[in-house]
């Protein structure tokens, strides 16, 4: 049973048709479904996240989904700095620097769509002043935004 | 900002799925933004204010005459 309503699907399709400029790949770090239940490796929102991202990527030929098993490919997870699952990394060539942890529902889903569009554009939508000040950042900065579904 | 400067990485986290993080950062209202474990604030802010807070988190902040932000709190 689809997660996105037909109206949502169409609205997103329209939005991407208009604003998604280049190919973007969503790398979903999840776990493969197997009959073996391993305690400590539960990821209740993994299947739903997989389905939601499949539906999302079907709205545009420029949006791809790649699913990576977190436990079988830990070196890849480390490379992308993925610490927990489900994790969705927005990439275009290389990682955009933005990750989503958990099922991206509600407000977070909108944020992901905006993130996909921003990643596809030649330059991120920042003011000239911000761009200038960003050059002062010469240390690692980790921004975490915690949201709860509405 | 993460897209512009490779030293910056940004994570959006569903707090309900990761209660440990929700507790650690005392998430109550949404969204709560935490920068380098030190600077934090609740709610949406302007791009300019976010830039202020990022610089503050790495010790390059400057006092802004129009700052309406409360004093930064550090996590216990």
């Amino acid at each position: 049973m689809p997660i996105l309503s037909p109206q949502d699907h169409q609205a997103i399709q329209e939005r991407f048709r208009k604003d998604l400029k280049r190919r973007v790949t969503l790398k979903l770090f999840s776990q493969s479904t197997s009959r073996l239940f391993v305690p400590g490796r539960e990821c209740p929102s993994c299947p739903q996240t997989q389905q939601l991202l499949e539906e999302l990527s079907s709205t545009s030929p420029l949006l791809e989904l790649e699913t990576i098993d977190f436990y079988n490919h830990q070196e890849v997870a480390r490379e992308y700095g993925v610490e927990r699952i489900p994790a969705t990394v927005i990439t275009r060539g290389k990682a955009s620097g933005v990750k989503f942890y958990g099922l991206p529902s509600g407000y977070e889903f909108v944020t992901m769509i905006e993130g996909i569009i921003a990643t596809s554009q030649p330059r991120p939508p920042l003011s000239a002043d911000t761009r200038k000040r960003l050059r002062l950042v010469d240390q690692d900065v980790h921004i975490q935004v915690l949201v709860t579904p509405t | 900002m993460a897209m512009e400067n490779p030293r910056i990485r940004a994570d959006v986290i569903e707090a309900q799925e990761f209660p440990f993080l929700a507790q650690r950062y005392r998430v109550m209202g949404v969204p709560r933004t935490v920068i380098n474990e030190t600077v934090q604030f609740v709610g949406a802010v302007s791009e300019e204010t976010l830039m202020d807070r990022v610089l503050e988190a790495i010790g390059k902040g400057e006092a802004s005459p129009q700052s309406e932000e409360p004093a930064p709190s550090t996590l216990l």
Side-chain angles (χ1 to χ4, degrees), chain B residues 49 61-62 71:
Chain B
T49 301
E62 37 179 281

Side-chain angles (χ1 to χ4, degrees), chain A residues 141-145, chain B residues 1-2 8-12 33-36 50 54:
Chain A
V141 176
H142 186 199
I143 303 174
Q144 297 179 85
V145 183
Chain B
M1 293 191 180
I8 301 175
R9 58 185 178 108
D11 301 336
V12 182
T33 303
V34 180
I35 306 176
N36 279 1
L50 178 58
V54 167

Side-chain angles (χ1 to χ4, degrees), chain A residues 45 83-86 96-105 108 115 118-119 123-127 130-131 133-134 136-149, chain B residues 1-5 7-18 21-22 25 27-37 47-48 50-52 54-55 57-60:
Chain A
S45 67
E83 294 162 359
R84 58 190 86 86
I85 59 172
S96 64
V98 182
K99 282 196 278 297
F100 289 79
Y101 285 115
L103 173 70
S105 57
E108 198 176 335
T119 300
R123 307 189 75 177
L126 298 169
S127 72
T130 299
R131 254 189 261 278
R133 292 166 79 199
L134 276 175
L136 296 172
V137 177
D138 55 1
Q139 306 167 33
D140 289 338
V141 176
H142 186 199
I143 303 174
Q144 297 179 85
V145 183
L146 296 114
V147 298
T148 58
Chain B
M1 293 191 180
M3 296 172 194
E4 180 80 8
N5 185 320
R7 298 304 294 264
I8 301 175
R9 58 185 178 108
D11 301 336
V12 182
I13 302 163
E14 281 282 358
Q16 247 181 31
E17 288 187 47
F18 304 104
L21 293 176
Y25 298 116
V27 178
M28 288 169 282
V30 297
R32 179 180 281 264
T33 303
V34 180
I35 306 176
N36 279 1
E37 308 284 333
E47 183 182 309
E48 196 185 321
L50 178 58
M51 191 67 246
D52 287 340
V54 167
L55 290 177
I58 61 170
K60 293 192 177 181

Side-chain angles (χ1 to χ4, degrees), chain A residues 3 27-34 37-38 40-55 65-72 82-88 100-105 112, chain B residues 14 17-18:
Chain A
I3 299 175
K27 291 191 194 263
L28 170 62
F29 288 81
S30 181
Q31 64 182 44
S32 55
T33 48
S34 69
F37 173 72
V38 181
R41 288 190 174 184
E42 303 89 2
C43 180
S45 67
C46 274
Q48 222 183 350
T49 303
Q50 169 88 35
Q51 186 185 341
L52 179 59
L53 294 188
E54 277 169 6
E55 290 178 23
L65 173 63
E66 186 187 325
T67 303
I68 300 163
D69 187 287
F70 178 72
Y71 295 108
N72 288 337
V82 168
E83 294 162 359
R84 58 190 86 86
I85 59 172
T88 306
F100 289 79
Y101 285 115
L103 173 70
S105 57
M112 184 181 281
Chain B
E14 281 282 358
E17 288 187 47
F18 304 104

Side-chain angles (χ1 to χ4, degrees), chain A residues 62-81:
Chain A
L62 289 177
L63 189 56
E64 280 178 354
L65 173 63
E66 186 187 325
T67 303
I68 300 163
D69 187 287
F70 178 72
Y71 295 108
N72 288 337
H73 297 281
Q74 294 193 17
E75 71 296 339
V76 182
R78 250 197 309 275
E79 187 190 321
Y80 284 95

